[in-house]
Amino acid sequence: MNTASLTAHELMDRIKIGGITPARIVDDVLARAQAVNPGTHAFIRFADKITAGEGACPLPIAIKDNICVNGSLTTCASKILEGFRPPYDAEVVARIKAAGGVILGSANMDEFAFGSSCETSVYGPSHNPWDLKRVPGGSSGGSAAAVAAGQAVWALGSDTGGSIRQPAAFCGVVGLKPTYGRVSRYGLIAFGSSLDQIGPITKDVRDGALLLNIIAGFDPKDSTSVNAPVPDYTRALGRDVKGLRIGIPREYFIPGIQPEVLAAVRAAIDVFKAQGAQIVDIALPHTAYAVATYYIVATAEASSNLARFDGVEYGLRAFPAVPRKGKLIDMYEETRAQGFGAEAKRRIMLGTYVLSSGYYDAYYLRAQKVRTLIKQDFEKAFGACDVILSPTTPTTAFRIGEKMNDPVAMYLSDIFTIPANMAGIPAISIPCGFDGAKLPVGLQLMAGPFAEETLLAAAYAYEQAAPWHQARASL
Ligand code: GLN
């Protein structure tokens, strides 16, 4: 038995029958994590103290480096948070610890979650376990690579415009972005506060349901957390998809998609058809504006969220070579100049620009209006269907370095994932095949607000009929 390749629910079953101990699981997974990390660089650091957990779900987990862990370095893969140890746990971390979960370490990410490839990390990129010359996606690339490589049983990521689903697709694992408000953002270092959501990255759909059970629910410490009952999400698994209306948005099947991605997604539609689902043609007419709108809203929020990193309260503090007496501004400037990488600076400038007087109405306000139109597209569509199906990404994993000098090409890899964040709806990426280079392809399913059960039921039905998720990267 290879512990590191098993899912969480398989491990839990074995614990129950006395086939393995939680301590052994931690040892095996940690050994695997350390052995292959020089290749994947999924972890940027391992936790100082790793001991077996006790509780309902004592399994080892990788935590994205933007989620606060009490007393442990949490840096958003940025130099500006060098040395920062939060004095508290994020709500999701507290819940995982309460369930007995064991934090293995911090997963690599794009700096402040700005990116789609993990290449903007100050620690250097992570590598895709299916082909180490390729990116694992981003921004939760370390989390997805860790799960795909068996370096963690499962992982937490965060998703502002696709950062859970896109790396899940690139690494051949399952990534779930819950409804905005379903999971507390308390202790998630904010990027775009109206878009960010924490979610599970797992080896299969059942594990996604299990981890969502642990992290979902109301938290008075997050004012946007929704006070609605949390169902047992595993109860949705096994539900029939017969008669389920699956919407195929015309605007998502466009020229420019890698033909093998298109073929895999079309085959997935046939799998649903064979199970009795009803396929309906739908329109999401404002899709074409989603990326442009996102890069106004998200950068505006980022510029305001990142204003707090000024060398006073957190992490790095730097002074110019020749400090002027009484000029506090010099310290701010030097800290931010040294602390932020190029992409973070680009976003701060863009976001500050669209919020500045004279441009606010033309950019930010207009983007908010378009965001409403995108949201309304989904409201209309969910009158005609229960679930929307699309590719997760237009291509499979690209090569490290390939898109670093072309931010717009990089931004376009989120073209299918951004709309769900704009609308606040839940969405999942599940493996649906491979391309000619043996790289995983991701299938995206989206559902209405708080319809995670519908999403999981559909994803599970697909996974049972087309078990692509069982393939493991050989490392
Ligand atoms: N890749 C997108 C961006 O760069 C989304 C990132 C995310 O979801 N955190 O903004």
Side-chain angles (χ1 to χ4, degrees):
M1 180 184 69
N2 179 2
T3 312
S5 69
L6 297 178
T7 63
H9 61 90
E10 286 165 344
L11 290 166
M12 288 308 297
D13 288 346
R14 281 172 167 73
I15 292 175
K16 269 179 210 126
I17 58 165
I20 194 166
T21 62
R24 173 76 197 278
I25 294 173
V26 172
D27 286 351
D28 286 0
V29 175
L30 182 60
R32 166 80 180 173
Q34 289 173 332
V36 301
N37 208 53
T40 63
H41 196 228
F43 283 95
I44 51 183
R45 67 183 78 85
F46 290 100
D48 302 331
K49 212 175 73 208
I50 300 173
T51 47
E54 254 175 77
C57 200
L59 299 175
I61 187 165
I63 305 284
K64 188 175 179 179
D65 196 36
N66 60 352
I67 299 175
C68 290
V69 180
N70 190 2
S72 298
L73 289 173
T74 305
T75 68
C76 288
S78 177
K79 184 169 182 213
I80 208 156
L81 275 171
E82 204 173 77
F84 174 59
R85 292 178 190 265
Y88 64 97
D89 278 327
E91 177 65 15
V92 289
V93 169
R95 289 181 190 221
I96 285 165
K97 285 182 176 172
V102 179
I103 292 163
L104 286 177
S106 318
N108 201 10
M109 57 183 283
D110 284 289
E111 183 180 6
F112 282 103
F114 301 154
S116 311
S117 69
C118 255
E119 291 166 291
T120 68
S121 166
V122 72
Y123 301 101
S126 293
H127 301 255
N128 192 310
W130 294 90
D131 175 352
L132 296 176
K133 291 189 292 300
R134 292 182 186 259
V135 303
S139 63
S140 314
S143 300
V147 174
Q151 294 182 268
V153 173
W154 51 17
L156 285 186
S158 67
D159 192 312
T160 307
S163 277
I164 289 175
R165 291 160 285 156
Q166 186 256 21
F170 279 12
C171 292
V173 293
V174 173
L176 170 62
K177 182 201 89 72
T179 307
Y180 185 78
R182 177 77 296 188
V183 174
S184 170
R185 293 183 296 110
Y186 177 77
L188 168 68
I189 299 174
F191 163 4
S193 305
S194 75
L195 303 155
D196 298 341
Q197 196 59 193
I198 296 172
I201 297 181
T202 57
K203 289 176 187 147
D204 68 5
V205 174
R206 180 174 294 279
D207 278 6
L210 280 171
L211 191 47
L212 187 60
N213 277 352
I214 297 174
I215 61 173
F218 178 60
D219 174 14
K221 298 187 292 313
D222 170 3
S223 63
T224 61
S225 150
V226 172
N227 196 350
V230 181
D232 174 356
Y233 288 108
T234 63
R235 305 272 305 257
L237 311 179
R239 243 189 235 170
D240 209 352
V241 294
K242 205 160 167 226
L244 187 79
R245 298 168 306 163
I246 298 183
I248 313 295
R250 310 175 197 139
E251 295 81 0
Y252 283 55
F253 291 78
I254 45 173
I257 303 181
Q258 188 181 328
E260 293 152 306
V261 170
L262 206 54
V265 171
R266 294 228 184 271
I269 297 175
D270 290 336
V271 170
F272 278 112
K273 253 191 223 160
Q275 291 181 297
Q278 191 189 327
I279 307 299
V280 289
D281 173 50
I282 58 155
L284 296 167
H286 295 92
T287 300
Y289 307 106
V291 173
T293 311
Y294 169 84
Y295 277 96
I296 293 173
V297 175
T299 56
E301 294 184 10
S303 73
S304 126
N305 275 322
L306 266 54
R308 70 184 63 133
F309 303 110
D310 55 7
V312 176
E313 285 159 297
Y314 316 91
L316 184 76
R317 177 176 302 172
F319 297 93
V322 191
R324 294 179 296 169
K325 204 168 182 303
K327 297 288 182 195
L328 181 61
I329 187 103
D330 289 1
M331 189 276 284
Y332 292 156
E333 283 182 1
E334 192 60 24
T335 300
R336 288 170 70 85
Q338 285 187 24
F340 289 125
E343 182 63 24
K345 285 178 184 156
R346 172 159 36 232
R347 298 210 184 194
I348 291 168
M349 287 191 280
L350 203 59
T352 306
Y353 179 79
V354 300
L355 287 175
S356 57
S357 76
Y359 296 103
Y360 183 92
D361 289 358
Y363 294 105
Y364 184 70
L365 201 65
R366 185 172 297 185
Q368 292 292 16
K369 290 179 180 168
V370 180
R371 181 178 184 175
T372 301
L373 295 174
I374 292 169
K375 201 165 162 223
Q376 288 169 350
D377 278 358
F378 281 104
E379 283 161 9
K380 245 180 252 161
F382 286 122
C385 66
D386 307 299
V387 165
I388 295 174
L389 179 154
S390 77
T392 306
T393 55
T395 68
T396 55
F398 44 88
R399 285 195 181 74
I400 291 177
E402 196 179 318
K403 298 198 180 178
M404 268 311 260
N405 297 321
D406 187 351
V408 174
M410 187 75 89
Y411 295 174
L412 284 174
S413 71
D414 303 304
I415 188 162
F416 301 140
T417 49
I418 280 172
N421 301 76
M422 302 295 272
I425 59 173
I428 194 169
S429 178
I430 53 176
C432 75
F434 291 90
D435 71 2
K438 203 108 209 316
L439 297 168
V441 178
L443 176 73
Q444 177 173 242
L445 301 173
M446 299 180 266
F450 297 96
E452 277 84 357
E453 288 169 285
T454 311
L455 206 57
L456 288 162
Y460 186 76
Y462 173 78
E463 187 186 78
Q464 295 305 297
W468 297 104
H469 65 288
Q470 286 173 0
R472 296 278 180 270
S474 56
L475 261 178

mmCIF file of all heavy atoms in Angstrom, residues 167-195:
data_model
loop_
_atom_site.group_PDB
_atom_site.id
_atom_site.type_symbol
_atom_site.label_atom_id
_atom_site.label_comp_id
_atom_site.label_asym_id
_atom_site.label_seq_id
_atom_site.Cartn_x
_atom_site.Cartn_y
_atom_site.Cartn_z
ATOM 1 N N PRO A 167 -5.160 25.693 -11.256
ATOM 2 C CA PRO A 167 -4.095 24.746 -10.902
ATOM 3 C C PRO A 167 -4.606 23.312 -10.720
ATOM 4 O O PRO A 167 -3.886 22.359 -11.032
ATOM 5 C CB PRO A 167 -3.512 25.308 -9.598
ATOM 6 C CG PRO A 167 -4.442 26.353 -9.127
ATOM 7 C CD PRO A 167 -5.252 26.811 -10.281
ATOM 8 N N ALA A 168 -5.817 23.158 -10.225
ATOM 9 C CA ALA A 168 -6.385 21.802 -10.112
ATOM 10 C C ALA A 168 -6.460 21.174 -11.501
ATOM 11 O O ALA A 168 -6.091 20.013 -11.700
ATOM 12 C CB ALA A 168 -7.760 21.842 -9.454
ATOM 13 N N ALA A 169 -6.903 21.957 -12.482
ATOM 14 C CA ALA A 169 -7.000 21.453 -13.855
ATOM 15 C C ALA A 169 -5.614 21.082 -14.385
ATOM 16 O O ALA A 169 -5.423 20.009 -14.962
ATOM 17 C CB ALA A 169 -7.658 22.501 -14.752
ATOM 18 N N PHE A 170 -4.642 21.957 -14.176
ATOM 19 C CA PHE A 170 -3.292 21.719 -14.699
ATOM 20 C C PHE A 170 -2.621 20.503 -14.034
ATOM 21 O O PHE A 170 -1.756 19.871 -14.628
ATOM 22 C CB PHE A 170 -2.403 22.955 -14.478
ATOM 23 C CG PHE A 170 -2.586 24.038 -15.502
ATOM 24 C CD1 PHE A 170 -3.651 24.023 -16.401
ATOM 25 C CD2 PHE A 170 -1.675 25.094 -15.596
ATOM 26 C CE1 PHE A 170 -3.816 25.034 -17.354
ATOM 27 C CE2 PHE A 170 -1.823 26.108 -16.545
ATOM 28 C CZ PHE A 170 -2.890 26.076 -17.420
ATOM 29 N N CYS A 171 -2.992 20.211 -12.799
ATOM 30 C CA CYS A 171 -2.330 19.130 -12.060
ATOM 31 C C CYS A 171 -3.172 17.855 -11.984
ATOM 32 O O CYS A 171 -2.776 16.894 -11.317
ATOM 33 C CB CYS A 171 -1.982 19.598 -10.647
ATOM 34 S SG CYS A 171 -0.687 20.862 -10.618
ATOM 35 N N GLY A 172 -4.344 17.836 -12.616
ATOM 36 C CA GLY A 172 -5.145 16.614 -12.635
ATOM 37 C C GLY A 172 -5.777 16.261 -11.299
ATOM 38 O O GLY A 172 -5.925 15.089 -10.968
ATOM 39 N N VAL A 173 -6.161 17.280 -10.523
ATOM 40 C CA VAL A 173 -6.839 17.026 -9.253
ATOM 41 C C VAL A 173 -8.151 17.815 -9.209
ATOM 42 O O VAL A 173 -8.502 18.508 -10.165
ATOM 43 C CB VAL A 173 -5.923 17.378 -8.047
ATOM 44 C CG1 VAL A 173 -4.736 16.426 -7.978
ATOM 45 C CG2 VAL A 173 -5.449 18.824 -8.111
ATOM 46 N N VAL A 174 -8.863 17.683 -8.099
ATOM 47 C CA VAL A 174 -10.168 18.325 -7.964
ATOM 48 C C VAL A 174 -10.017 19.626 -7.177
ATOM 49 O O VAL A 174 -9.381 19.638 -6.120
ATOM 50 C CB VAL A 174 -11.162 17.379 -7.244
ATOM 51 C CG1 VAL A 174 -12.477 18.082 -6.945
ATOM 52 C CG2 VAL A 174 -11.401 16.122 -8.087
ATOM 53 N N GLY A 175 -10.574 20.716 -7.690
ATOM 54 C CA GLY A 175 -10.512 22.000 -6.983
ATOM 55 C C GLY A 175 -11.893 22.617 -6.911
ATOM 56 O O GLY A 175 -12.572 22.732 -7.929
ATOM 57 N N LEU A 176 -12.289 23.001 -5.714
ATOM 58 C CA LEU A 176 -13.644 23.523 -5.514
ATOM 59 C C LEU A 176 -13.600 24.933 -4.946
ATOM 60 O O LEU A 176 -13.042 25.162 -3.872
ATOM 61 C CB LEU A 176 -14.403 22.591 -4.551
ATOM 62 C CG LEU A 176 -15.755 23.073 -4.012
ATOM 63 C CD1 LEU A 176 -16.770 23.275 -5.135
ATOM 64 C CD2 LEU A 176 -16.304 22.089 -2.993
ATOM 65 N N LYS A 177 -14.198 25.865 -5.692
ATOM 66 C CA LYS A 177 -14.395 27.221 -5.157
ATOM 67 C C LYS A 177 -15.824 27.314 -4.657
ATOM 68 O O LYS A 177 -16.758 27.255 -5.441
ATOM 69 C CB LYS A 177 -14.181 28.291 -6.228
ATOM 70 C CG LYS A 177 -14.337 29.697 -5.629
ATOM 71 C CD LYS A 177 -14.651 30.780 -6.662
ATOM 72 C CE LYS A 177 -16.116 30.992 -6.934
ATOM 73 N NZ LYS A 177 -16.867 31.656 -5.841
ATOM 74 N N PRO A 178 -16.003 27.451 -3.351
ATOM 75 C CA PRO A 178 -17.366 27.530 -2.813
ATOM 76 C C PRO A 178 -18.036 28.868 -3.139
ATOM 77 O O PRO A 178 -17.388 29.796 -3.614
ATOM 78 C CB PRO A 178 -17.150 27.386 -1.303
ATOM 79 C CG PRO A 178 -15.743 26.889 -1.126
ATOM 80 C CD PRO A 178 -14.985 27.428 -2.301
ATOM 81 N N THR A 179 -19.319 28.934 -2.860
ATOM 82 C CA THR A 179 -20.074 30.183 -2.976
ATOM 83 C C THR A 179 -19.412 31.254 -2.110
ATOM 84 O O THR A 179 -18.959 30.959 -0.997
ATOM 85 C CB THR A 179 -21.512 29.991 -2.446
ATOM 86 O OG1 THR A 179 -22.098 28.872 -3.101
ATOM 87 C CG2 THR A 179 -22.370 31.229 -2.661
ATOM 88 N N TYR A 180 -19.377 32.501 -2.601
ATOM 89 C CA TYR A 180 -18.863 33.599 -1.779
ATOM 90 C C TYR A 180 -19.677 33.665 -0.488
ATOM 91 O O TYR A 180 -20.908 33.759 -0.534
ATOM 92 C CB TYR A 180 -18.964 34.920 -2.556
ATOM 93 C CG TYR A 180 -18.344 36.074 -1.813
ATOM 94 C CD1 TYR A 180 -16.975 36.242 -1.786
ATOM 95 C CD2 TYR A 180 -19.144 36.982 -1.120
ATOM 96 C CE1 TYR A 180 -16.391 37.287 -1.090
ATOM 97 C CE2 TYR A 180 -18.576 38.036 -0.423
ATOM 98 C CZ TYR A 180 -17.203 38.183 -0.412
ATOM 99 O OH TYR A 180 -16.629 39.213 0.278
ATOM 100 N N GLY A 181 -19.012 33.574 0.648
ATOM 101 C CA GLY A 181 -19.727 33.621 1.927
ATOM 102 C C GLY A 181 -19.910 32.253 2.585
ATOM 103 O O GLY A 181 -20.294 32.171 3.749
ATOM 104 N N ARG A 182 -19.636 31.196 1.844
ATOM 105 C CA ARG A 182 -19.826 29.837 2.383
ATOM 106 C C ARG A 182 -18.721 29.471 3.393
ATOM 107 O O ARG A 182 -18.956 28.785 4.384
ATOM 108 C CB ARG A 182 -19.861 28.850 1.206
ATOM 109 C CG ARG A 182 -19.984 27.388 1.519
ATOM 110 C CD ARG A 182 -21.369 26.918 1.919
ATOM 111 N NE ARG A 182 -21.866 27.501 3.156
ATOM 112 C CZ ARG A 182 -22.983 27.120 3.777
ATOM 113 N NH1 ARG A 182 -23.729 26.164 3.261
ATOM 114 N NH2 ARG A 182 -23.362 27.683 4.893
ATOM 115 N N VAL A 183 -17.495 29.930 3.071
ATOM 116 C CA VAL A 183 -16.329 29.622 3.913
ATOM 117 C C VAL A 183 -15.762 30.945 4.433
ATOM 118 O O VAL A 183 -15.610 31.909 3.675
ATOM 119 C CB VAL A 183 -15.262 28.868 3.094
ATOM 120 C CG1 VAL A 183 -13.989 28.666 3.906
ATOM 121 C CG2 VAL A 183 -15.807 27.526 2.600
ATOM 122 N N SER A 184 -15.432 30.984 5.712
ATOM 123 C CA SER A 184 -14.920 32.217 6.311
ATOM 124 C C SER A 184 -13.594 32.640 5.680
ATOM 125 O O SER A 184 -12.710 31.826 5.463
ATOM 126 C CB SER A 184 -14.709 32.004 7.811
ATOM 127 O OG SER A 184 -13.990 33.109 8.359
ATOM 128 N N ARG A 185 -13.457 33.939 5.436
ATOM 129 C CA ARG A 185 -12.195 34.488 4.932
ATOM 130 C C ARG A 185 -11.337 35.040 6.065
ATOM 131 O O ARG A 185 -10.277 35.617 5.813
ATOM 132 C CB ARG A 185 -12.475 35.602 3.918
ATOM 133 C CG ARG A 185 -13.114 35.126 2.635
ATOM 134 C CD ARG A 185 -13.310 36.262 1.635
ATOM 135 N NE ARG A 185 -14.239 37.257 2.131
ATOM 136 C CZ ARG A 185 -13.906 38.496 2.506
ATOM 137 N NH1 ARG A 185 -12.662 38.920 2.426
ATOM 138 N NH2 ARG A 185 -14.810 39.325 2.968
ATOM 139 N N TYR A 186 -11.791 34.873 7.298
ATOM 140 C CA TYR A 186 -11.029 35.382 8.437
ATOM 141 C C TYR A 186 -9.655 34.722 8.475
ATOM 142 O O TYR A 186 -9.552 33.492 8.536
ATOM 143 C CB TYR A 186 -11.791 35.096 9.743
ATOM 144 C CG TYR A 186 -11.052 35.525 10.991
ATOM 145 C CD1 TYR A 186 -11.004 36.863 11.368
ATOM 146 C CD2 TYR A 186 -10.415 34.591 11.790
ATOM 147 C CE1 TYR A 186 -10.327 37.250 12.516
ATOM 148 C CE2 TYR A 186 -9.734 34.972 12.946
ATOM 149 C CZ TYR A 186 -9.697 36.310 13.297
ATOM 150 O OH TYR A 186 -9.034 36.686 14.435
ATOM 151 N N GLY A 187 -8.624 35.522 8.384
ATOM 152 C CA GLY A 187 -7.268 34.968 8.396
ATOM 153 C C GLY A 187 -6.738 34.628 7.023
ATOM 154 O O GLY A 187 -5.616 34.149 6.897
ATOM 155 N N LEU A 188 -7.519 34.874 5.991
ATOM 156 C CA LEU A 188 -6.996 34.786 4.618
ATOM 157 C C LEU A 188 -6.470 36.175 4.287
ATOM 158 O O LEU A 188 -7.211 37.153 4.366
ATOM 159 C CB LEU A 188 -8.110 34.412 3.629
ATOM 160 C CG LEU A 188 -7.759 34.564 2.135
ATOM 161 C CD1 LEU A 188 -6.713 33.533 1.713
ATOM 162 C CD2 LEU A 188 -9.013 34.422 1.268
ATOM 163 N N ILE A 189 -5.205 36.287 3.940
ATOM 164 C CA ILE A 189 -4.643 37.604 3.633
ATOM 165 C C ILE A 189 -5.280 38.072 2.330
ATOM 166 O O ILE A 189 -5.162 37.413 1.286
ATOM 167 C CB ILE A 189 -3.108 37.553 3.574
ATOM 168 C CG1 ILE A 189 -2.574 37.115 4.954
ATOM 169 C CG2 ILE A 189 -2.542 38.923 3.174
ATOM 170 C CD1 ILE A 189 -1.079 36.875 5.017
ATOM 171 N N ALA A 190 -5.993 39.187 2.403
ATOM 172 C CA ALA A 190 -6.919 39.574 1.332
ATOM 173 C C ALA A 190 -6.222 39.996 0.044
ATOM 174 O O ALA A 190 -5.203 40.680 0.061
ATOM 175 C CB ALA A 190 -7.803 40.711 1.831
ATOM 176 N N PHE A 191 -6.793 39.583 -1.073
ATOM 177 C CA PHE A 191 -6.415 40.056 -2.410
ATOM 178 C C PHE A 191 -7.576 40.911 -2.913
ATOM 179 O O PHE A 191 -7.508 42.137 -2.866
ATOM 180 C CB PHE A 191 -6.112 38.829 -3.284
ATOM 181 C CG PHE A 191 -6.083 39.031 -4.783
ATOM 182 C CD1 PHE A 191 -6.237 40.275 -5.377
ATOM 183 C CD2 PHE A 191 -5.868 37.938 -5.622
ATOM 184 C CE1 PHE A 191 -6.200 40.421 -6.767
ATOM 185 C CE2 PHE A 191 -5.834 38.092 -7.011
ATOM 186 C CZ PHE A 191 -6.011 39.329 -7.574
ATOM 187 N N GLY A 192 -8.640 40.302 -3.360
ATOM 188 C CA GLY A 192 -9.838 41.023 -3.791
ATOM 189 C C GLY A 192 -10.974 40.602 -2.883
ATOM 190 O O GLY A 192 -11.559 39.537 -3.074
ATOM 191 N N SER A 193 -11.279 41.430 -1.893
ATOM 192 C CA SER A 193 -12.162 40.981 -0.817
ATOM 193 C C SER A 193 -13.561 40.604 -1.285
ATOM 194 O O SER A 193 -14.234 39.817 -0.632
ATOM 195 C CB SER A 193 -12.261 42.061 0.259
ATOM 196 O OG SER A 193 -10.958 42.384 0.699
ATOM 197 N N SER A 194 -14.016 41.155 -2.401
ATOM 198 C CA SER A 194 -15.364 40.812 -2.861
ATOM 199 C C SER A 194 -15.356 39.563 -3.743
ATOM 200 O O SER A 194 -16.398 39.130 -4.216
ATOM 201 C CB SER A 194 -15.978 41.985 -3.623
ATOM 202 O OG SER A 194 -15.403 42.090 -4.918
ATOM 203 N N LEU A 195 -14.168 39.006 -3.961
ATOM 204 C CA LEU A 195 -14.034 37.850 -4.867
ATOM 205 C C LEU A 195 -13.418 36.630 -4.189
ATOM 206 O O LEU A 195 -13.707 35.491 -4.578
ATOM 207 C CB LEU A 195 -13.135 38.240 -6.057
ATOM 208 C CG LEU A 195 -13.565 39.439 -6.905
ATOM 209 C CD1 LEU A 195 -12.354 40.053 -7.601
ATOM 210 C CD2 LEU A 195 -14.603 39.031 -7.936
#
